[in-house]
């Protein structure tokens, strides 16, 4: 096997926007392969809560993908800058979501670790 294949140009690999990346499961255009010709279903949030959660997920996903890329190319300033931008957007989206809809994780309960069970549960938002 040839492990020296470089699928990127180290300076700026072609990227999907965060929403499309979350839908396709890959931020990097050069690495995306559709599965047997199937197309992905784009999520259509039906409430402001779902829209806020989707925004949070897409920025966290994009930041995580870039973090993995930076493991290989730690000196790439353009990607580091984009990582910082997406991380900041994810942080702001999480902060806004928690403010509007409550904690996502137990660590966001602010002293009452069991307050998250007071509901509604995720499936009760339908």
């Amino acid at each position: 096997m040839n492990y020296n294949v470089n699928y990127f140009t180290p300076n700026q690999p072609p990227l999907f926007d965060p929403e499309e990346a979350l839908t396709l499961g890959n931020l990097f255009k050069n690495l995306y392969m559709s599965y047997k010709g199937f197309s992905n279903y784009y999520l259509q949030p039906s409430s402001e809560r779902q829209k806020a959660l989707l925004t949070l997920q897409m920025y966290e996903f994009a930041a995580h993908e870039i973090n993995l890329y930076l493991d290989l190319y730690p000196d790439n300033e353009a990607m580091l800058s984009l990582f910082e931008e997406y991380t900041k957007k994810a942080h702001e989206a999480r902060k806004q979501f928690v403010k509007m809809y409550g904690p996502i994780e137990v660590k966001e309960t602010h002293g009452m670790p069991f307050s998250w069970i007071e509901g509604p549960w995720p499936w009760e938002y339908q």
Side-chain angles (χ1 to χ4, degrees):
M1 271 208 169
N2 183 2
Y3 291 106
N4 295 322
V5 176
N6 189 354
Y7 293 101
F8 304 117
T9 58
N11 293 331
Q12 185 61 41
L15 305 174
F16 292 112
D17 67 82
E19 184 176 11
E20 190 171 15
L22 179 65
T23 299
L24 298 174
N26 195 327
L27 181 66
F28 300 95
K29 289 183 178 181
N30 290 355
L31 296 179
Y32 176 73
M33 293 180 289
S34 64
Y35 178 73
K36 296 185 179 183
F38 288 98
S39 60
N40 294 58
Y41 173 75
Y42 283 83
L43 298 173
Q44 301 294 321
S46 60
S47 68
E48 288 301 312
R49 182 183 185 282
Q50 288 179 356
K51 184 177 178 183
L53 186 58
L54 181 62
T55 299
L56 170 59
Q57 290 173 324
M58 71 182 193
Y59 284 121
E60 284 188 343
F61 178 78
H64 181 74
E65 288 278 285
I66 293 171
N67 185 37
L68 295 173
Y69 175 88
L70 288 170
D71 286 344
L72 297 174
Y73 303 103
D75 298 327
N76 188 321
E77 294 294 325
M79 291 299 283
L80 183 58
S81 177
L82 191 57
F83 171 76
E84 290 170 354
E85 176 187 338
Y86 287 159
T87 300
K88 182 179 178 181
K89 287 181 178 185
H91 176 75
E92 290 300 317
R94 177 176 288 272
K95 185 176 166 183
Q96 185 66 25
F97 186 92
V98 169
K99 179 181 174 185
M100 297 294 295
Y101 305 106
I104 296 174
E105 299 180 51
V106 173
K107 67 183 179 182
E108 296 164 340
T109 58
H110 307 293
M112 290 296 297
F114 301 106
S115 65
W116 60 272
I117 65 168
E118 293 174 6
W121 289 78
W123 56 85
E124 295 175 327
Y125 282 105
Q126 298 301 324

